[in-house]
Amino acid sequence: MTAEETTMNNGEEQESPEVEMSFLDHIEELRWRIIYALIGIVLFTIVAWIFIDPLVEFVLLKPARDANASLQNLRPFGQLFLYVQVAIIVGIVASLPNIFYQLWQFIAPALRKRERKYILWIVFFSTFCFLAGIAFAYFVMLPLAMKFAAQFGSEAIKNEFSIEEYMSIIISVMLAAGVVFELPMVSFFLSKLGILTPKFMRKYRRHAIVIILVLSAILTPGADPVSQVILAVPLVLLYEISIFISKISSKKSA
């Protein structure tokens, strides 16, 4: 074997994935990754519970307060259950970097050496996209939606909202927006795997816009057309960004 062939073989060995794991090894690895993720969630949930009063009072109730919406609790232990739910959800959101890291560490053995170098960057941008979606929902969508809900209807009918329904809308919209804002990262990953191509995304752009409009109507609380448009516009922009990301990642994979 020539020196050149040896160098080439060494390069291939460096680029090849790690030694294949057995099915039981994969299950054991998955179990530990889930445990590490749960530990992070529990720790951040405890921290969230320590600061639960300002979280609820100054953060989650702010959209209702700014819209002059009246809230009421109709269950004896409604606020207790609500506080526990908020603490758990905040704990999950706060531990997202750890959750994404454990997920990518589980996938890492199947990746090549040069691909594993980008795990921390993927974790960072995945977290950033999710938090950007939450921030967009909190600062843009929810104030408009709550203002519309509080002012809509006859003056003879007083709008008073159940705290359970209010929190359900607040939390579901923020989490849904966070998931939707992961579109660029999903595009990057699928393009790396060769499943998605920029040509395919450009070809079905019109279909995607229709789906985006439907998603906007589903994710937006109530029938407020303004909020639907406000959500649809960034989704269309995210789709165009995803095409660009798919193009770049496809070139790097080639």
Side-chain angles (χ1 to χ4, degrees):
M1 182 180 293
T2 65
E4 183 179 354
E5 290 174 337
T6 303
T7 303
M8 291 175 63
N9 289 336
N10 289 337
E12 289 176 358
E13 290 176 2
Q14 291 177 356
E15 288 296 315
S16 62
E18 294 179 355
V19 178
E20 289 189 5
M21 301 168 63
S22 67
F23 177 75
L24 292 179
D25 289 336
H26 279 294
I27 295 298
E28 180 68 11
E29 177 71 11
L30 177 61
R31 184 173 75 90
W32 279 107
R33 294 301 168 190
I34 292 175
I35 289 174
Y36 293 147
L38 289 176
I39 290 173
I41 291 173
V42 170
L43 291 177
F44 279 107
T45 298
I46 293 172
V47 174
W49 182 258
I50 295 173
F51 298 97
I52 193 65
D53 286 328
L55 276 172
V56 173
E57 181 68 25
F58 300 113
V59 179
L60 295 179
L61 295 182
K62 186 177 182 299
R65 193 163 50 247
D66 292 344
N68 294 321
S70 177
L71 302 175
Q72 55 180 328
N73 174 44
L74 303 176
R75 295 190 300 172
F77 298 99
Q79 293 200 53
L80 173 62
F81 293 140
L82 175 66
Y83 275 39
V84 172
Q85 180 188 16
V86 168
I88 293 173
I89 293 175
V90 171
I92 293 173
V93 173
S95 61
L96 277 178
N98 178 53
I99 294 173
F100 285 134
Y101 179 76
Q102 300 304 329
L103 172 63
W104 285 106
Q105 282 295 99
F106 175 70
I107 298 174
L111 303 176
R112 298 185 182 277
K113 185 177 180 180
R114 61 184 177 86
E115 294 172 336
R116 291 196 294 270
K117 294 189 301 182
Y118 298 107
I119 287 179
L120 291 178
W121 284 107
I122 292 173
V123 170
F124 172 78
F125 283 110
S126 297
T127 305
F128 174 80
C129 289
F130 194 91
L131 295 180
I134 290 179
F136 177 80
Y138 182 79
F139 290 107
V140 180
M141 289 180 59
L142 290 174
L144 292 172
M146 288 307 304
K147 188 175 181 180
F148 176 84
Q151 297 179 356
F152 181 81
S154 171
E155 294 183 359
I157 303 175
K158 187 176 181 180
N159 288 325
E160 292 186 346
F161 308 122
S162 164
I163 186 62
E164 290 85 4
E165 292 295 329
Y166 169 79
M167 284 297 182
S168 176
I169 290 174
I170 292 289
I171 293 173
S172 61
V173 169
M174 287 195 294
L175 294 181
V179 172
V180 168
F181 270 61
E182 290 290 337
L183 182 59
M185 287 306 303
V186 173
S187 172
F188 173 83
F189 186 64
L190 293 180
S191 298
K192 278 289 185 182
L193 295 177
I195 298 174
L196 194 65
T197 63
K199 182 179 178 181
F200 176 85
M201 296 183 72
R202 283 193 293 264
K203 180 180 179 181
Y204 291 97
R205 180 185 276 112
R206 294 181 180 178
H207 301 77
I209 291 175
V210 173
I211 295 174
I212 285 171
L213 293 174
V214 173
L215 280 175
S216 300
I218 294 174
L219 296 176
T220 304
D224 181 9
V226 176
S227 298
Q228 293 175 11
V229 173
I230 289 174
L231 178 59
V233 170
L235 285 182
V236 173
L237 292 176
L238 284 172
Y239 187 81
E240 296 299 327
I241 293 172
S242 299
I243 295 176
F244 177 72
I245 292 175
S246 176
K247 184 178 180 180
I248 293 177
S249 57
S250 297
K251 285 182 177 180
K252 290 184 178 180
S253 300

